[in-house]
Amino acid sequence: MTEKIIILDFGSQVTQLIGRRLRELNVYCEIYPYNKIPVFDESVKGVILSGSPFSVRDEKAPQADLSGIKGKLPLLGICYGAQYLAHRYGGEVNASIAREYGRAMLEVTDSTSPLMKGVASPSQVWMSHGDTIAALPEGGEVIASTADVKNAAYHIKGEDTYAVQFHPEVYHTAEGSRILANFALGICGCKGDWTPASFIDTTIASLRDRLGNDKVILGLSGGVDSTVAAVLLNRAIGHNLTCIFVNNGLLRKNEFEDVLASYQDMGLNVIGADASEAFIAELKGVTEPERKRKIIGRLFIETFDRYARQIENARWLAQGTIYPDVIESASVNGPSSTIKSHHNVGGLPEKMNLKIVEPLRSLFKDEVRRVGRALGIKDELIGRHPFPGPSLGIRILGEVTEEKLAILREADDIFIRGLRNYRIDGVPSASDPSVTATNLYDSIWQAGAMLLPVKSVGVMGDERTYEYTIALRAVISTDGMTADWVHLPYDFLAKVSNDIINKVRGVNRVVYDISSKPPATIEWE
């Protein structure tokens, strides 16, 4: 049984970061809404209470039943969690006169505290609260303070209950990982043995036990998640797995052929389903982004279903769902408002009367890549940038036509090849910081070209031109939920712009997108 720490989410935007930091310590954890606390078994070694956008003094502030936790299991309250423990158990929380947002310097006042073991004093921490703990709960004792917050960290005597008013999970807290390690590995006694290799062994054994001799269908996209899921399933059930790769006619240059070829030496049973003509035909005249996404999603399901029904006695549909998707669907406030419809195989299980198997549903994206490397999957597949399910259909703003697809494929190919060929040194890979990137492509999270629905005047030779504009996009991110634009070298941008304009007929202008997410999104549609 895998030992774990449970994180109770009170709605903080950075709750996932707590999970990521614990996983970096090789400690398995699971995140649950504060109002959906699971039944604990002996595998649960400790509990963490997250931050929240609420004040504990609010009438509708989230309340959690900790009767089966506090004093019985190691417990760590973070920010709102710390204030909730004080408020709930006899302390006092007031609006702060000197509100703390951002950097502060933490002074450890009790260096014997297990939570503060080895923590430098002073050290930088990250604060984000308008309230402050004026009086500690019953049995509380201060273990660290800042200039403005006396009760920055405290402990409840006679219990393994600790609390901090700062955020140890964010990178700005210099000793945050040490504090979380002190809690997870020290106070909770976790072994820290949850590694990619251990995940592979336990997952393959679990899949064999669950699936038996049943047949499984998986939709391959050529991306990291579906590839790793396919290899895990193949290790577990071999020939009983059939993968289907749908060509929607909106893929990048040579992508359908290249992806199929890349799987040939991996022992996977892959069917290539070419439905490109149907997709292009249905998108004719459609300009509204959400409608394009829905058409592409519907046609994908219809195409996948048609090919999948040729596989007799299939009982399972495998999906490359990863943990952020699971957390989002079970969040405190329910799924976020729809910014864009996501392209997946939603609807297929009911339509085909199949059961779902999701071998990656406990992993974050970077963990999926580490598992992929441990499985021996080629770097060119593991290091691939995320690519939207609707493909180039949402990178062509406005109507999708064969002419526009041809233009965008060439421009995108020049951009991506340029990123791969531009050599750099000493920069961590965006997909795995423990690996050094040797080219621009590996140093960034995602890149691509967009074809804008505007033409502009240009001059080529002595002739006036009136042609399309290409926008280049390159971002750095951890999980795609937030992203910032990459400061690409000027000489690189100059060469790529020149190559696209000179080599791609129909383009006379190239621009570079310097918007972050939020407020922009990574894709333009």
Side-chain angles (χ1 to χ4, degrees):
M1 185 178 294
T2 302
E3 61 183 20
K4 65 173 77 81
I5 287 178
I6 298 297
I7 301 167
L8 297 183
D9 179 21
F10 287 91
S12 169
Q13 292 184 341
V14 292
T15 298
Q16 285 193 35
L17 282 180
I18 305 172
R20 296 180 69 85
R21 297 295 165 265
L22 291 176
R23 299 286 186 89
E24 288 169 3
L25 298 168
N26 294 330
V27 174
Y28 181 66
C29 61
E30 293 178 353
I31 299 173
Y32 291 90
Y34 72 92
N35 54 358
K36 296 178 183 177
I37 302 175
V39 176
F40 293 170
D41 56 30
E42 64 269 23
S43 69
V44 178
K45 301 300 182 183
V47 177
I48 294 177
L49 310 180
S50 84
S52 174
F54 286 91
S55 162
V56 294
R57 299 176 296 107
D58 290 346
E59 200 174 302
K60 295 184 179 179
Q63 308 281 322
D65 180 7
L66 303 179
S67 58
I69 300 172
K70 184 177 177 293
K72 299 173 183 176
L73 283 169
L75 178 63
L76 174 63
I78 293 176
C79 197
Y80 177 92
Q83 294 169 358
Y84 179 73
L85 287 171
H87 179 74
R88 175 72 177 77
Y89 295 99
E92 184 180 346
V93 177
N94 297 329
S96 176
I97 296 173
R99 299 193 303 172
E100 281 203 342
Y101 290 97
R103 294 173 177 84
M105 297 307 294
L106 187 75
E107 296 277 357
V108 176
T109 57
D110 182 3
S111 59
T112 66
S113 168
L115 190 68
M116 294 296 155
K117 182 179 179 181
V119 173
S121 181
S123 65
Q124 178 180 285
V125 295
W126 190 261
M127 294 284 190
S128 180
H129 58 89
D131 288 347
T132 195
I133 298 171
L136 294 177
E138 184 178 348
E141 54 184 2
V142 178
I143 57 176
S145 304
T146 71
D148 293 318
V149 180
K150 177 184 177 183
N151 302 317
Y154 66 89
H155 166 241
I156 304 297
K157 294 178 184 177
E159 299 179 8
D160 283 330
T161 299
Y162 296 84
V164 296
Q165 285 200 80
F166 54 89
H167 287 274
E169 69 273 27
V170 302
Y171 286 111
H172 305 85
T173 297
E175 299 276 13
S177 291
R178 185 183 296 274
I179 291 170
L180 289 173
N182 285 342
F183 179 72
L185 302 176
I187 297 165
C188 296
C190 292
K191 298 183 183 70
D193 58 1
W194 193 74
T195 62
S198 67
F199 171 83
I200 290 168
D201 291 340
T202 56
T203 300
I204 288 174
S206 174
L207 288 170
R208 284 174 179 159
D209 182 60
R210 184 180 180 196
L211 301 175
N213 200 38
D214 290 350
K215 290 185 178 180
V216 179
I217 304 169
L218 180 143
L220 271 179
S221 67
V224 177
D225 300 339
S226 66
T227 298
V228 174
V231 173
L232 274 172
L233 283 159
N234 190 51
R235 293 271 182 98
I237 62 172
H239 67 277
N240 280 336
L241 172 68
T242 300
C243 304
I244 299 173
F245 179 38
V246 175
N247 181 8
N248 58 16
L250 308 170
L251 302 178
R252 290 166 289 191
K253 185 176 180 179
N254 301 325
E255 187 166 20
F256 186 57
E257 298 78 12
D258 289 348
V259 169
L260 288 177
S262 68
Y263 288 124
Q264 283 182 351
D265 60 351
M266 296 174 63
L268 296 177
N269 177 25
V270 183
I271 296 173
D274 190 350
S276 51
E277 291 184 6
F279 279 80
I280 303 302
E282 288 242 13
L283 289 170
K284 185 176 182 180
V286 178
T287 59
E288 204 276 316
E290 191 65 8
R291 191 177 164 212
K292 285 199 290 187
R293 284 176 172 267
K294 290 189 180 303
I295 288 171
I296 294 166
R298 173 179 57 79
L299 286 174
F300 174 86
I301 289 175
E302 291 174 0
T303 305
F304 189 94
D305 181 39
R306 187 168 65 253
Y307 279 83
R309 288 188 182 278
Q310 299 172 20
I311 302 164
E312 295 183 1
N313 301 318
R315 298 189 60 188
W316 297 84
L317 176 69
Q319 296 188 156
T321 307
I322 61 176
Y323 200 40
D325 303 323
V326 177
I327 297 168
E328 175 72 8
S329 65
S331 67
V332 171
N333 299 312
S336 299
S337 59
T338 300
I339 305 300
K340 301 171 183 176
S341 291
H342 286 274
H343 171 71
N344 51 38
V345 291
L348 272 173
E350 298 82 4
K351 183 182 179 72
M352 300 174 64
N353 195 28
L354 296 175
K355 294 183 286 185
I356 291 290
V357 57
E358 298 167 318
L360 306 179
R361 66 180 282 113
S362 66
L363 301 184
F364 289 101
K365 189 78 171 185
D366 52 340
E367 293 171 328
V368 174
R369 288 192 165 106
R370 286 200 287 273
V371 167
R373 288 191 173 94
L375 286 166
I377 299 173
K378 293 177 290 189
D379 280 344
E380 55 262 41
L381 285 172
I382 291 303
R384 284 191 91 195
H385 290 177
F387 187 59
S391 312
L392 300 182
I394 57 166
R395 290 186 175 178
I396 294 173
L397 278 65
E399 182 183 9
V400 177
T401 66
E402 291 281 14
E403 178 201 13
K404 291 179 182 178
L405 280 166
I407 291 172
L408 184 55
R409 283 191 181 109
E410 292 300 327
D412 182 78
D413 184 59
I414 290 170
F415 183 34
I416 299 302
R417 280 193 292 108
L419 290 170
R420 290 188 183 278
N421 293 334
Y422 193 99
R423 314 309 294 177
I424 58 173
D425 293 311
V427 177
S429 167
S431 64
D432 186 348
S434 66
V435 177
T436 300
T438 59
N439 58 61
L440 275 177
Y441 182 88
D442 291 337
S443 73
I444 63 182
W445 168 266
Q446 186 173 350
M450 320 290 165
L451 180 65
L452 306 190
V454 293
K455 290 186 175 183
S456 63
V457 174
V459 178
M460 287 188 178
D462 293 326
E463 295 183 2
R464 174 187 183 276
T465 62
Y466 190 62
E467 294 178 336
Y468 287 109
T469 299
I470 289 288
L472 305 179
R473 181 84 157 130
V475 298
I476 191 72
S477 179
T478 300
D479 50 23
M481 299 186 74
T482 61
D484 200 5
W485 62 281
V486 178
H487 293 229
L488 292 176
Y490 287 164
D491 62 327
F492 169 79
L493 287 172
K495 184 177 188 311
V496 166
S497 172
N498 190 59
D499 285 349
I500 289 173
I501 291 171
N502 286 337
K503 297 177 182 179
V504 182
R505 187 174 295 276
V507 176
N508 67 358
R509 192 177 299 271
V510 174
V511 298
Y512 185 51
D513 183 351
I514 58 170
S515 310
S516 62
K517 175 188 178 180
T521 53
I522 295 177
E523 301 296 338
W524 281 40
E525 284 194 344

